[in-house]
């Protein structure tokens, strides 16, 4: 009997490392600042994922750009130093470049057309990420950026006298500056605040909520009247990391992020509207353009879209996503 008990104890002990090894922590990086609404949403999803998997699947979140700019995050995922990232379209285009077209200025006639298009084309976008070795866990629409500046920039030619920021990962701003006759200052996103403080740059692009969270708003005086574009952001994992999970955990992971985004969307919309009002109370002026001034920007954006479309693997993709939105 004693021998049988000892053998049973040894057998149970042998099983313990196997149970422990079943636990998995997924490493995800984001540029979102710690404590921001974006990071809090990711942390909420992480808690729900831990709860629903009984602690067997967790998320290790690296916020605030500590893993580098988005292109660096993509490189780290490819070399298996990270499992994934929460990326904007600027980072996503390093995986599947066609997704960048959703950020082309004034591509859609309305926010509703933008939403219709991305929903219709999401399966095809996801397939493109799979071919590139990534799994698209959740794709979300977001508001486009406003232009913030120290001086009024009412028409495109006034950009030539500014020192505008150019995100080193972003191909859209260089095209816009080239068409406007301006010269951008290339900087990674974490470098922007110090560059504003030292006046190395005086013009930046961001949604109002991000301009506050990143502390850029304290160094500008003017804000453009509205965004000319939307954007996409996504949670992505390497296919290797995603497919290493049991099927039930893959399903739960996608469900948790989809639920989190749905629950957070009203809060983001309220926060974005509140952020704009906060900026106005802090003395930032929202520029109201005349029809003639607005027409100059519309013409500029058309030239920028034409230039950028030539750099896509499939130039006809732009027409396809416009048609999907009914634009």
């Amino acid at each position: 009997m004693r021998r049988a008990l000892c053998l049973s104890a040894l057998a149970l002990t042998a099983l313990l490392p196997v149970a422990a090894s079943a636990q998995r922590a997924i490493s995800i990086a984001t540029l979102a600042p710690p404590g921001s609404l974006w990071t809090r949403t990711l942390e909420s999803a992480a808690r729900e994922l831990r709860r629903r998997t009984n602690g067997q699947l967790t998320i290790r979140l690296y916020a605030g750009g500590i893993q580098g700019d988005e292109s660096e995050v993509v490189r780290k995922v490819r070399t298996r130093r990270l499992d994934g990232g929460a990326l904007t379209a600027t980072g996503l285009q390093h995986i599947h470049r066609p997704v960048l077209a959703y950020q082309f200025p004034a591509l859609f006639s309305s926010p509703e057309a933008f939403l219709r298009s991305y929903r219709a084309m999401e399966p095809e976008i996801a397939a493109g990420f799979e071919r590139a070795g990534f799994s698209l866990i959740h794709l979300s629409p977001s508001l486009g950026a406003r232009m913030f500046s120290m001086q009024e920039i009412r028409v495109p030619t006034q950009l030539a006298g500014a020192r505008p920021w150019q995100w080193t990962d972003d191909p859209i701003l260089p095209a816009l500056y080239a068409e406007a006759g301006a010269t951008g200052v290339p900087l990674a996103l974490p470098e922007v605040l110090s560059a504003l403080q030292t006046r190395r740059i005086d013009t930046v692009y961001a949604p109002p909520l991000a301009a506050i969270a990143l502390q850029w708003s304290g160094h500008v005086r003017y804000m453009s009247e509205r965004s000319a574009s939307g954007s996409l952001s996504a949670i992505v994992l390497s296919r290797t990391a995603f497919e290493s999970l049991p099927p039930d955990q893959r399903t739960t992971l996608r469900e948790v992020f989809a639920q989190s985004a749905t629950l957070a969307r009203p809060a983001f919309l309220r926060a974005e509207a509140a952020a704009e009002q906060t900026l106005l109370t802090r003395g930032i002026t929202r520029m109201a353009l005349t029809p003639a001034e607005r027409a100059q920007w519309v013409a500029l954006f058309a030239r920028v879209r034409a230039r950028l479309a030539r750099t896509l693997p499939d130039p006809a993709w732009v027409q396809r996503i416009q048609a999907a939105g009914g634009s």
Side-chain angles (χ1 to χ4, degrees):
M1 175 66 74
R2 182 176 299 173
R3 176 181 172 83
L5 289 173
C6 288
L7 289 174
S8 297
L10 286 172
L12 179 60
T13 302
L15 288 175
L16 291 177
V18 175
S21 66
Q23 295 180 342
R24 174 71 186 278
I26 295 175
S27 57
I28 293 178
T30 177
L31 292 178
S36 65
L37 184 53
W38 297 277
T39 304
R40 296 200 306 273
T41 300
L42 290 170
E43 290 169 342
S44 176
R47 289 191 297 271
E48 178 65 9
L49 183 65
R50 178 188 290 272
R51 185 190 69 81
R52 289 185 56 176
T53 63
N54 295 316
Q56 294 302 297
L57 185 59
T58 61
I59 292 174
R60 185 182 299 118
L61 185 64
Y62 297 96
I66 62 172
Q67 290 287 346
D69 221 334
E70 291 195 338
S71 58
E72 179 64 17
V73 169
V74 173
R75 283 193 292 270
K76 286 182 176 180
V77 175
R78 286 195 167 115
T79 57
R80 301 188 182 183
R81 295 165 63 189
L82 285 168
D83 292 316
L87 304 174
T88 68
T90 301
L92 296 174
Q93 56 112 6
H94 291 290
I95 303 170
H96 183 52
R97 190 171 177 81
V99 77
L100 187 71
Y102 277 92
Q103 205 161 311
F104 284 9
L107 180 63
F108 296 98
S109 59
S110 67
E112 292 74 24
F114 173 88
L115 292 172
R116 285 194 299 270
S117 176
Y118 114 85
R119 287 169 180 156
M121 304 304 290
E122 185 173 2
E124 190 169 339
I125 293 170
F129 277 84
E130 290 289 327
R131 290 192 297 271
F134 285 73
S135 292
L136 192 63
I137 306 304
H138 185 72
L139 185 67
S140 297
S142 55
L143 298 172
R146 304 283 191 96
M147 180 174 64
F148 292 88
S149 59
M150 279 297 295
Q151 306 297 326
E152 275 194 300
I153 300 176
R154 304 186 65 86
V155 294
T157 54
Q158 290 178 324
L159 268 173
R163 297 186 296 279
W165 167 51
Q166 177 181 310
W167 195 355
T168 50
D169 284 349
D170 178 19
I172 293 180
L173 286 178
L176 189 148
Y177 296 152
E179 292 293 339
T183 301
V185 180
L187 296 168
L189 190 141
E191 300 174 294
V192 172
L193 179 58
S194 62
L196 281 169
Q197 292 168 334
T198 60
R199 294 291 177 235
R200 184 180 174 191
I201 58 174
D202 58 15
T203 303
V204 294
Y205 295 83
L209 186 60
I212 294 174
L214 295 166
Q215 302 178 54
W216 297 355
S217 59
H219 306 280
V220 293
R221 295 177 181 170
Y222 296 92
M223 172 176 63
S224 61
E225 61 180 357
R226 60 192 175 95
S227 174
S229 65
S231 186
L232 294 176
S233 59
I235 307 293
V236 297
L237 296 181
S238 71
R239 278 185 62 185
T240 301
F242 185 64
E243 292 176 357
S244 71
L245 302 175
D248 61 326
Q249 290 187 359
R250 295 181 214 170
T251 299
T252 300
L253 182 66
R254 282 196 160 120
E255 288 177 351
V256 164
F257 275 109
Q259 178 186 39
S260 177
T262 299
L263 293 175
R265 183 162 179 77
F268 272 102
L269 293 174
R270 289 192 300 271
E272 195 66 46
E276 182 170 354
Q277 293 305 311
T278 296
L279 292 171
L280 297 176
T281 61
R282 292 180 181 178
I284 291 179
T285 300
R286 180 174 54 203
M287 291 178 288
L289 303 183
T290 67
E293 291 169 338
R294 196 172 295 115
Q296 292 188 46
W297 288 103
V298 169
L300 172 70
F301 294 152
R303 297 197 303 273
V304 172
R305 293 195 304 272
R307 175 189 286 251
L308 288 168
R310 295 193 294 268
T311 71
L312 293 174
D314 177 13
W317 170 253
V318 177
Q319 283 73 38
R320 289 182 60 208
I321 65 176
Q322 280 182 310
S327 297

